[in-house]
Amino acid sequence: DVYKRQVSTQSTWGGIMLYEATKAKNDDDDEHQEIIIELNQMESRYRDDRHSNTSHNSNDMESKPLSEKYKDEFKGNFSKQLTKRFVFWQALSMTFLAEWGDRSQFTCIALASRYNAFTVFLGSTIGHLFCTSLAVIGGRYISEKVSEKTVNLLGGILFMAFGVHSLFTILS
């Protein structure tokens, strides 16, 4: 039963990563340039706003509603907040589903049945924190050197290979 879940999970994530690899842009420099342009535009607007605050009287500033003045910035920030929430829930659900029924979970069950449950909880949590931290830091480092398309392509192939391996384990 555990292997069946592994096959379906690995194949699903492999398929998702391969799909994302086909949708990713080939050139990350375009994205980087877009970010630089957007930051420069925001800085320019900020300078213009500061300049207009000092050069106009307060009645002119009060006549323009704040909601109109910063509508674009609000929409951009709102979109970024939604993206952050989505990424958070995606990371949480992926980690939870990948770890559920994992050997490390069974090891924790066995240890907790013999030793102090809080000590097992603390040790396993810190161990998982170190492991996940290495993955996140390594992923961040790799993303600076390798394109997202390449990472998704290789990750998708690896997940599919693990799924095939698990399938052969079930069949044999």
Side-chain angles (χ1 to χ4, degrees):
D1 191 42
V2 172
Y3 285 116
K4 289 177 186 176
R5 197 168 341 139
Q6 282 181 345
V7 169
S8 65
T9 302
Q10 291 165 345
S11 300
T12 301
W13 288 116
I16 289 170
M17 292 182 82
L18 289 173
Y19 175 77
E20 288 178 357
T22 61
K23 296 293 182 185
K25 290 182 178 179
N26 285 332
D27 193 12
D28 286 339
D29 290 337
D30 291 341
E31 186 177 349
H32 184 262
Q33 289 301 324
E34 290 174 14
I35 292 170
I36 296 296
I37 290 168
E38 185 178 335
L39 288 173
N40 287 337
Q41 288 173 346
M42 289 176 69
E43 184 178 357
S44 174
R45 273 184 263 149
Y46 174 73
R47 285 185 187 153
D48 291 346
D49 286 347
R50 286 188 62 203
H51 179 69
S52 66
N53 281 341
T54 58
S55 63
H56 296 92
N57 65 26
S58 62
N59 291 336
D60 290 339
M61 292 304 292
E62 290 174 3
S63 65
K64 189 172 186 179
L66 192 63
S67 61
E68 287 180 23
K69 190 173 180 184
Y70 294 106
K71 190 181 345 181
D72 292 336
E73 283 84 354
F74 175 75
K75 284 182 181 176
N77 289 337
F78 184 70
S79 175
K80 289 175 187 174
Q81 289 298 322
L82 285 177
T83 302
K84 286 179 184 177
R85 288 181 184 153
F86 174 75
V87 169
F88 170 80
W89 286 110
Q90 185 180 21
L92 185 131
S93 64
M94 284 175 49
T95 304
F96 179 80
L97 291 174
E99 294 300 322
W100 189 256
D102 191 346
R103 287 185 193 121
S104 61
Q105 188 178 30
F106 291 125
T107 303
C108 289
I109 292 169
L111 287 171
S113 69
R114 249 183 116 188
Y115 303 105
N116 183 317
F118 180 74
T119 306
V120 173
F121 168 77
L122 194 60
S124 63
T125 301
I126 292 172
H128 196 268
L129 175 72
F130 285 149
C131 184
T132 304
S133 298
L134 286 173
V136 170
I137 292 168
R140 181 71 179 166
Y141 176 76
I142 289 172
S143 73
E144 293 172 0
K145 308 292 183 203
V146 181
S147 73
E148 181 182 351
K149 182 174 185 170
T150 304
V151 170
N152 280 330
L153 185 64
L154 292 175
I157 291 169
L158 281 173
F159 268 110
M160 289 297 204
F162 292 146
V164 168
H165 178 266
S166 296
L167 181 64
F168 281 125
T169 303
I170 291 171
L171 296 176
S172 61

